[in-house]
Every structure is written in C-alpha cells, then in structure tokens.
Amino acid sequence: MSALTARGTVADENDGGAFGGLPWTVLRLHRTALLLWGAALLAAVGVLIWMHAIGDDASAGLSACAEPATDSLPSCSDVGAIHTDDTYAIGIGVVGTALSYLMFPVAAWAGAALIGRELESRTAELAWTQSVTPVRWLTAKLAVPAALLATGTSLIVLLNVWARRDDNPDLVGDWYHPDVLVSTGPAAVAYVLAGLTLGALAGLVTRKALPATGVAFAATLVLYNVLDRYRTSLWPADTVTGRAALHLPRSSQVLEHGAVTTTGKHIGNNLACVGFENATDIKDCMARSGLADFWATRHPASHFWPLQLMETGVLLAVAALATAAAFRLLRRRTP
C-alpha cells in the first residue's frame, strides 16, 4: 500500500512541466501544517485588527482619573477604557512573542516532517529513482514553505506595526526589548527562514524524524541566544559625556554608564551623583567623590533600523549557508 502511495506521489510530481507538480505535492503532503499555519495567521490578523481598534481607548486608559471627578481629572467610572490598556498590552505582547519564537516550531517541523520523515520512510529515494532529481526535490521542499512562511510573517509584521499606533512604550514596550525589536521589522522573516533551512539541514544530516527535531531545535536555540547576547554589538553604540550621561531618555538603550575620576581613571557602572537634578548638587557630589566627568554608551532610537538590518543580514547569511550545506550534502549522498 505504501509503495502504491509513493508511486502515486511520484506520478503527481511528474505532472506540470519543467518544475513538475512538486509544489502541489508538497502542499498536499503537508496540508495539516498548511491549515495550522493558515489558522495561526487568521488568529493573529484578528487579534491585531482588534488591538488597532481599541488603541485609542488603551491610550486613554493610561491617563489619570479621580473619583469623584475634579476640574482637571475625569471620573474613573466614566473612563470606559480603564482596563483596555491591559488588554491592548497583552494582545500586542502575545503577537510579538509569537513572532519572535516562530523559528523554533518551524525548524522542528522542517527537520521532522518536511525532510526527516521522507528520508526515514525512503519515499524520497523512490521519487529520486523516477524523473524527480534530488536537487529538484529539495528545491521544492524549501521553496514552497519559504514562500508561504515569508509572506505570512511579513503580513503579521506589517499589521503588528500598524496596530502599535504611536509606539507608546507603556503599552507596547520599549523598542529595544528583544521581542519588540524582532517582531517589528524584517528580522522576524529572516528568523523564520533561518529556522526552515536549519531544520531542513538537520533532517538531511540525521535522516530520521525524531533526531532531526532535536537537532533543529538545538541549532535554532543556539542561534537565537547568540544573537540575543550580541545584538547590541551589531552596530556601534554612541558615547555620551557630561551631565547628559546622567539623564538619558527612556528611548535610549543604556549599555553602560560610568564616571571618570580626577586621576583620569574610568569606572564602569558608577552610580555616584546619578540622583541629583540641580547642577550645583551634581558639582558638590563630584567634588566629594573625586569625579571629573560622566559617560554612558547607549543605542538611541535612531539605531533601530541599523540594528534591525544587521541582525536580518546575519540571519539571511545563516539561512544561505544552511541551504548551501543542505544541497552539498544531498549531492554527496545521492548519485
């Protein structure tokens, strides 16, 4: 029965011209994953449209109120959006987190179901003995899900940016938080493509579904943590000196701050005199502490796109290398 099914699949793959019916075969073989992906997209679209609709009420919910009302503050009972800000923040946060971690299930699926299972059951080898070459087989296996994943993820990223409205950090988080940074730019798409290619490579290396799942998950976990650890190093940080280093805006991602002593020594993470607002108090504090100046390194909000694009570039390079390695390994293992 399995042989007949496999031959039927091969026959289908031979239909449709030069590229064959391979794309349609991939879609049919993985229709469950396709349906799940479609359902996830619909759910995310619905949530983000809802979040955009309640965005104004959520912003109003952050404003002060009084009970009873005063001349300057409205009645809290009249502010219908008093809890809408929590709903909005949770909704945006859930979608952002889902986008940030999407590469893990994609990699596991690619390693197990997309590649590993067919190699383990030998249906791929049967297809190769017909008119479907190994290169065409792997090309279709990667191209079809890559197109669907990239399109769907791009749509959700655009809707996520749209739903965030004015990017109020009290509602949607600061731009430099990992989930926020990843889910509001092309890095989200690059993460998914990296997960897909690493999963496919894991499937080709192990040739078994279950081990491929573990290897793919481990590889993407290492990649994610390395980028998370060194993200701030992907673009040169700005250095601020003087009093401005003590009062950096919230929109700045502070990496390190410190002071310079009267002897010229730089002390990192020195909090002396940070709490003073008055210039005279700051000078007195500096004199008592033996300090000559302050400094801080930070990423301002203007570094969002440089960091975003650098991370995207790294991920696409990983995806390209994993794809090249997968094809090279396939050629070595097949006639």
Side-chain angles (χ1 to χ4, degrees):
M1 185 67 177
S2 61
L4 290 174
T5 303
R7 287 188 173 86
T9 300
V10 173
D12 290 338
E13 290 170 345
N14 293 334
D15 297 334
F19 194 55
L22 283 170
W24 299 110
T25 301
V26 172
L27 292 175
R28 284 198 299 272
L29 287 175
H30 302 285
R31 55 185 174 272
T32 300
L34 179 62
L35 290 173
L36 289 174
W37 177 235
L41 287 179
L42 287 175
V45 168
V47 169
L48 290 173
I49 291 175
W50 178 29
M51 294 303 103
H52 184 269
I54 66 174
D56 288 338
D57 287 341
S59 297
L62 291 176
S63 61
C65 62
E67 197 62 53
T70 66
D71 292 338
S72 58
L73 297 175
S75 170
C76 291
S77 59
D78 292 337
V79 180
I82 198 67
H83 297 299
T84 308
D85 54 330
D86 292 333
T87 302
Y88 179 86
I90 291 172
I92 291 291
V94 167
V95 173
T97 300
L99 280 171
S100 299
Y101 291 98
L102 183 58
M103 70 180 298
F104 296 112
V106 167
W109 170 78
L114 187 68
I115 302 295
R117 185 173 64 189
E118 289 204 32
L119 292 176
E120 187 174 13
S121 63
R122 305 180 74 86
T123 56
E125 294 181 13
L126 180 60
W128 300 341
T129 63
Q130 309 299 319
S131 62
V132 179
T133 64
V135 171
R136 284 176 55 203
W137 174 83
L138 183 56
T139 299
K141 287 289 185 181
L142 290 175
V144 174
L148 293 173
L149 288 167
T151 302
T153 305
S154 298
L155 171 64
I156 300 305
V157 168
L158 291 174
L159 285 174
N160 186 36
V161 173
W162 171 68
R164 291 167 63 87
R165 294 202 171 230
D166 60 355
D167 275 333
N168 186 332
D170 291 326
L171 288 172
V172 299
D174 294 292
W175 68 268
Y176 47 81
H177 287 172
D179 288 0
V180 176
L181 183 66
V182 171
S183 64
T184 53
V189 180
Y191 267 107
V192 172
L193 295 178
L196 173 67
T197 54
L198 288 173
L201 179 59
L204 286 166
V205 170
T206 63
R207 302 176 68 87
K208 293 184 181 296
L210 188 58
T213 303
V215 172
F217 185 84
T220 50
L221 185 63
V222 170
L223 175 63
Y224 182 90
N225 281 289
V226 167
L227 284 175
D228 186 56
R229 179 180 179 87
Y230 295 103
R231 177 175 291 120
T232 56
S233 301
L234 294 175
W235 191 257
D238 288 349
T239 300
V240 181
T241 59
R243 186 178 177 185
L246 300 177
H247 304 287
L248 293 172
R250 177 176 176 175
S251 60
S252 290
Q253 181 185 19
V254 182
L255 306 179
E256 192 176 10
H257 49 75
V260 181
T261 66
T262 52
T263 61
K265 181 180 179 181
H266 284 67
I267 306 174
N269 296 320
N270 187 297
L271 298 177
C273 310
V274 168
F276 294 99
E277 297 288 342
N278 184 278
T280 302
D281 293 337
I282 292 176
K283 289 180 179 179
D284 291 342
C285 177
M286 293 175 66
R288 292 194 306 270
S289 305
L291 302 179
D293 200 2
F294 301 100
W295 57 270
T297 55
R298 55 92 184 249
H299 281 302
S302 61
H303 285 191
F304 169 83
W305 278 111
L307 289 169
Q308 179 79 224
L309 295 176
M310 289 298 294
E311 187 163 355
T312 300
V314 171
L315 289 163
L316 291 179
V318 170
L321 289 173
T323 301
F327 277 101
R328 182 176 179 83
L329 180 61
L330 184 66
R331 289 192 181 95
R332 291 181 60 184
R333 289 184 173 179
T334 55

